[in-house]
Amino acid sequence: MRRAVESTLVLKRIYDAPIERVWRAWTDPSELGQWYVAGSDHIVHFCEADVREGGTYRVGFGPAGTTPYVETGTYTEVSAPHRLAFEETVSFEGKRIHTHATLVELRDLGGSTELSIKSSGSESWRTGEGWTPAMESLARHLGEV
């Protein structure tokens, strides 16, 4: 039996958008559903979010016309517009694939925003399969690409 490896990934990127705009992209369910996907062939099937400490979220994603992967999570810290922390689980057809604890930090750079993501958990998702394409998708959503 293969044992999951636990690790931590830290990614940083600067977006040419004000901090309030980037915060809204992370916390408004209608915006989150437009960019929070893990690959160019994926779409968001549904997105629900109650962004408050103790609140939960659910996002279904995957290729169009297929059974979606489902990410569920609980917000553990919400400090607008600088910090958003959540614990997440991704499942497919009811089977858990991986779990993570994620911290999103935003730093105001005077019209642009530095985004830092720190995600800890099973390595399969965080080796670039998930957060790297999501950060690119966020850039497109913010009108950078």
Side-chain angles (χ1 to χ4, degrees), residues 26-137:
W26 277 92
T27 58
D28 180 321
S30 64
E31 287 205 37
L32 187 62
Q34 293 178 36
W35 68 267
Y36 194 74
V37 293
S40 60
D41 66 334
H42 287 48
I43 63 165
V44 173
H45 294 259
F46 57 84
C47 180
E48 306 159 355
D50 177 13
V51 184
R52 60 181 173 81
E53 288 185 21
T56 61
Y57 73 93
R58 250 177 100 238
V59 179
F61 62 92
T66 65
T67 300
Y69 290 87
V70 177
E71 180 175 326
T72 57
T74 301
Y75 294 102
T76 57
E77 181 180 355
V78 179
S79 181
H82 298 284
R83 289 173 60 96
L84 185 67
F86 47 94
E87 295 175 352
E88 60 189 275
T89 299
V90 176
S91 302
F92 184 72
E93 295 183 337
K95 182 180 176 186
R96 187 177 79 192
I97 298 172
H98 54 250
T99 58
H100 299 101
T102 300
L103 173 63
V104 176
E105 293 183 294
L106 304 177
R107 188 166 62 102
D108 188 350
L109 300 177
S112 60
T113 304
E114 181 184 72
L115 168 73
S116 173
I117 295 176
K118 181 178 180 181
S119 185
S120 301
S122 56
E123 75 175 344
S124 62
W125 170 258
R126 293 165 307 77
T127 55
E129 296 173 31
W131 283 121
T132 299
M135 291 177 84
E136 289 298 318
S137 183

